[in-house]
Amino acid sequence: MVGGAEKWVMMVTAQTPTNIAVIKYWGKRDESLILPVNDSISVTLDPDHLCTTTTVAVSPSFERDRMWLNGKEISLSGGRYQNCLREIRSRASDVEDEENGIKIPKKDWDKLHLHIASYNNFPTAAGLASSAAGFACLVFSLAKLMNVKEDQSKLSAIARQGSGSACRSLFGGFVKWIMGRDEDGRDSLAVQLADEKHWDDLFIIIAVVSSRQKETSSTTGMRETVETSLLLKHRAKEIVPKRILQMEEAIKNRDFTSFAQLACADSNQFHAVCLDTSPPIFYMNDTSHRVISIAEKWNRSEGGRRWHILLMRAQMQY
């Protein structure tokens, strides 16, 4: 019996930051499992500034699973939400709240319904990884509620099925998403390269040049790029593997010049891949171009001795 006949509610609240990729993920080799065509590396941002806060609740009085995003109810019928809910429920353990006299046996989690309330403190679907923070927070909070005993990397493989880059938001600091080789995706997961204290004098400033939703969704854009871009194939096979190793070394040594050069080069190539897509995809606007021009002039004014500004190209964090 689940918690007796009382109409109890059990809740967990969690907060998860977004992340910004310095070696980017763009393109899937498997759409349903969200398996990428290359490894990626990201920096997890400060949750005080860019984060998702999610509260998950369970009660025998709930008649169905429901979710609210930024105060507005949304459907949970989509495959990505259902994949995450199914995977977490399958890993649930017994839960006991002695203080309130609530016991939930493992077998009862499939019978109980959830209410989920999620809030982003930054624009949604504007290129700032709201889905990454959102699905990471959903998986993390559900895992806490259901007493899931998997480690963060294994949880990241579940978050990945909601939004690819969500797997990286389950860790702080510098994170690598290993593309994996297995067809079932079990080895496509995130690992922490260095924690948030490793490079504590590195600051990232996010300038939101537009809060409007992207004209081309990431899912659509990636699919069209995989189908039409020869540059993407060259990037995934020849360029990214080398850059991953170089970026890992730059992070390890806190080598800002190499870090900045690699990140900017990879961001430029990401946008080149988007332009190589048919039809071409544009994720930067006029303001983005002006900001980049100013930053490049500032860096050049230092005579190449130092990169004072690392510009994560506006409007796509992947």
Side-chain angles (χ1 to χ4, degrees), residues 206-272:
I206 306 295
V208 180
V209 299
S210 174
S211 60
R212 290 186 302 174
Q213 188 167 330
K214 302 187 297 290
E215 289 185 13
T216 304
S217 74
S218 305
T219 299
T220 300
M222 288 191 202
R223 184 184 304 119
E224 292 176 348
T225 299
V226 168
E227 290 173 354
T228 64
S229 174
L230 292 177
L231 179 57
L232 177 72
K233 294 177 175 62
H234 174 71
R235 165 181 163 75
K237 183 179 179 181
E238 303 293 340
I239 305 299
V240 172
K242 297 172 186 174
R243 279 188 182 156
I244 287 285
L245 295 175
Q246 293 168 340
M247 182 59 80
E248 288 183 14
E249 192 69 14
I251 291 168
K252 177 184 175 182
N253 296 326
R254 295 189 293 249
D255 176 356
F256 185 72
T257 298
S258 297
F259 178 82
Q261 289 172 336
L262 286 165
C264 286
D266 201 71
S267 181
N268 287 339
Q269 189 176 74
F270 158 72
H271 286 290

Side-chain angles (χ1 to χ4, degrees), residues 58-69:
V58 63
S59 172
S61 66
F62 295 163
E63 297 179 353
R64 60 187 174 90
D65 292 339
R66 299 176 70 184
M67 181 172 180
W68 293 262
L69 175 61

Side-chain angles (χ1 to χ4, degrees), residues 260-295:
Q261 289 172 336
L262 286 165
C264 286
D266 201 71
S267 181
N268 287 339
Q269 189 176 74
F270 158 72
H271 286 290
V273 163
C274 289
L275 289 174
D276 191 50
T277 299
S278 182
I281 305 167
F282 303 92
Y283 283 129
M284 288 195 290
N285 59 28
D286 289 343
T287 305
S288 307
H289 291 127
R290 285 197 296 272
V291 172
I292 288 170
S293 177
I294 291 168

